[in-house]
Amino acid sequence: MSKACPLVGRMTVDVHYASMKAAFEAGAEALRVALEKTGEVTNGDVLTDTRAVVPDDLWVFDPRPRKEGPGAKKPSPGKWVDDPELANKPFDAERCNCRKWNAGHGAQCNRFAEDDGLCTLHKNQYDKIIALGGRDLPHGRFNEERPTHELSKPEGEGAEHKWSDMKAEKAAKKESEKAEKAAKKDSEKAEKDKARELKKEKREAEKAEKKKKKAEEKAEKKAKKAAEKAAKKAEELELAKKEAEVAEKAVEEVAVVEEVKAVLDETTKKVEEMEETNGEELALDLGEETEEMPEEKFGIFEHDGESLKWNKETNEILDPDDEELLGRVAQVDGEWKFNKVERDSDSDSDSDSDSDSDSDSDEE
């Protein structure tokens, strides 16, 4: 007589399979405990972990007969749990070839293949995608190349698949680009610093060159000024020397003038004394004394503010410096008149000579 099930809910294939698994594990555990009590098994034996002895196909324990042919159902794989290790498992031709997302790692569907290499779930999904204009299951097939974009949409409309390893690659690429950018920035900064340093050195060199040039110009100007000063001093010395010579000659001329003046004064005094005497005796005495007195040959003749040399024997007026003949003097109405010598022609000189002769005759 069968018993009614006290549990709530529908007995599905998955629930049935899970119950068989739980029953097997419970029986294996009970066996292990019993054997340990009798000493026939130790902690080192396989039965220590009862889960390790659970067979892959528990349907063998189902008393119902198996279906034969295409309609025979295969055992349920159990509930899907994401696991990164599933991505590394080899392709199983008996399983559905749909690639599941598996938290971005990808993995083969664990259900058994039914039609077109797909399980019933993914075959229905595939048919709907094709009907809506898609190209394939969202993540493609596990036995084909992994797609970069969602295949359940028309070409160019699917979103990008951000696979976990691609994230790492992108992160590494981003880090590499970041490091490359930083290196480039450092290189550009180094180049700028180098250019700035070269510019600074060039500016300093130009500044030093300018300073050197300025110093050379200053030294040249100073030397030129010193040379001009020395030349001016030499010129002043030469001028002073000439002035000294002129002054010396002037002093000599003044001495001559003073000497002549002294003679004239003495003569004038004697004349005045003679005038006080009477008669011809006084004149005779004066004449005798005058003859006895040596008359100076040269005297001074003032003309236009200049002191000229006067030859009293020939009445020639000479240049006091070089004895050049400047002219002659003649006494007119009791005064000595200066007649300049004309050098343009010989006739002028002859006329002057005639005039001098006449003047001498008048003076006698």
Side-chain angles (χ1 to χ4, degrees):
M1 181 178 178
S2 61
K3 295 183 180 180
C5 180
L7 303 177
V8 178
R10 182 170 172 268
M11 174 62 77
T12 62
V13 175
D14 291 340
V15 173
H16 186 190
Y17 196 87
S19 65
M20 287 191 296
K21 183 179 180 182
F24 186 90
E25 289 177 348
E29 179 66 17
L31 176 62
R32 184 187 65 77
V33 172
L35 291 175
E36 283 184 353
K37 287 181 179 181
T38 60
E40 295 182 17
V41 67
T42 63
N43 291 335
D45 294 331
V46 176
L47 288 177
T48 301
D49 186 359
T50 56
R51 292 173 295 180
V53 296
V54 177
D56 293 334
D57 186 7
L58 292 174
W59 291 114
V60 295
F61 297 108
D62 192 323
R64 295 176 296 174
R66 284 180 177 271
K67 292 183 179 181
E68 300 296 336
K73 290 187 178 181
K74 295 183 179 180
S76 173
K79 186 178 180 181
W80 176 269
V81 179
D82 288 336
D83 185 359
E85 294 297 328
L86 295 175
N88 300 321
K89 292 185 69 174
F91 176 72
D92 186 353
E94 293 185 0
R95 304 279 177 173
C96 174
N97 60 22
C98 171
R99 179 182 283 107
K100 297 178 69 67
W101 178 242
N102 190 27
H105 298 279
Q108 183 179 3
C109 175
N110 61 349
R111 294 183 179 89
F112 288 99
E114 297 289 344
D115 186 16
D116 194 22
L118 298 172
C119 66
T120 303
L121 175 65
H122 288 120
K123 180 67 170 82
N124 293 335
Q125 183 182 5
Y126 174 78
D127 292 340
K128 290 179 181 180
I129 289 171
I130 297 301
L132 294 174
R135 293 168 289 162
D136 201 348
L137 295 169
H139 309 109
R141 310 299 177 100
F142 191 71
N143 59 336
E144 295 179 1
E145 186 177 353
R146 186 177 67 180
T148 58
H149 291 75
E150 189 179 4
L151 299 178
S152 58
K153 302 290 182 180
E155 183 74 29
E157 296 183 9
E160 183 183 4
H161 288 317
K162 298 181 179 179
W163 301 105
S164 59
D165 57 342
M166 290 180 64
K167 289 182 180 179
E169 289 177 4
K170 285 185 178 180
K173 185 178 179 181
K174 190 175 181 180
E175 275 303 313
S176 177
E177 290 176 351
K178 186 178 179 182
E180 186 177 350
K181 189 175 181 180
K184 184 178 179 182
K185 188 176 180 180
D186 292 340
S187 177
E188 289 176 351
K189 185 176 182 299
E191 288 180 0
K192 287 182 179 179
D193 292 341
K194 185 177 179 180
R196 192 182 296 110
E197 189 66 25
L198 290 174
K199 189 175 181 181
K200 184 179 178 182
E201 290 177 359
K202 183 179 179 182
R203 188 167 57 248
E204 290 293 333
E206 289 176 351
K207 188 177 179 181
E209 183 65 22
K210 189 176 180 181
K211 189 175 180 181
K212 181 182 177 183
K213 187 176 180 181
K214 189 175 180 180
E216 290 176 352
E217 290 177 353
K218 187 176 180 181
E220 185 179 353
K221 188 176 180 181
K222 188 175 181 181
K224 184 178 179 182
K225 190 175 180 180
E228 290 177 352
K229 188 176 180 180
K232 188 177 179 181
K233 188 173 181 181
E235 186 178 350
E236 290 176 352
L237 288 173
E238 186 66 23
L239 183 61
K241 184 178 179 181
K242 288 182 179 180
E243 289 178 352
E245 291 176 355
V246 171
E248 185 177 355
K249 288 182 179 181
V251 169
E252 292 176 356
E253 292 174 356
V254 169
V256 171
V257 170
E258 290 294 331
E259 185 178 351
V260 170
K261 186 178 179 182
V263 171
L264 290 174
D265 289 343
E266 185 178 352
T267 303
T268 302
K269 185 177 179 182
K270 288 182 177 182
V271 169
E272 290 175 353
E273 290 176 354
M274 290 178 183
E275 287 178 351
E276 294 177 357
T277 61
N278 295 321
E280 294 179 355
E281 183 179 359
L282 178 60
L284 182 61
D285 293 338
L286 181 58
E288 291 176 356
E289 286 188 25
T290 304
E291 288 178 358
E292 292 177 0
M293 286 181 61
E295 184 179 357
E296 293 291 336
K297 181 179 180 181
F298 294 98
I300 300 299
F301 183 81
E302 297 291 336
H303 177 68
D304 291 338
E306 294 185 18
S307 297
L308 305 177
K309 191 173 183 180
W310 178 15
N311 187 334
K312 293 183 177 182
E313 292 180 355
T314 62
N315 289 327
E316 292 178 342
I317 301 300
L318 308 176
D319 189 315
D321 294 329
D322 56 11
E323 302 290 333
E324 182 183 359
L325 178 63
L326 300 178
R328 292 180 175 83
V329 294
Q331 194 171 28
V332 179
D333 298 332
E335 294 183 1
W336 292 99
K337 300 294 183 179
F338 175 75
N339 294 316
K340 187 176 181 182
V341 174
E342 297 296 336
R343 296 184 178 83
D344 294 338
S345 63
D346 296 331
S347 59
D348 293 339
S349 299
D350 295 336
S351 299
D352 292 338
S353 300
D354 294 339
S355 300
D356 292 337
S357 300
D358 295 342
S359 299
D360 293 337
S361 300
D362 293 339
E363 183 178 357
E364 292 174 358

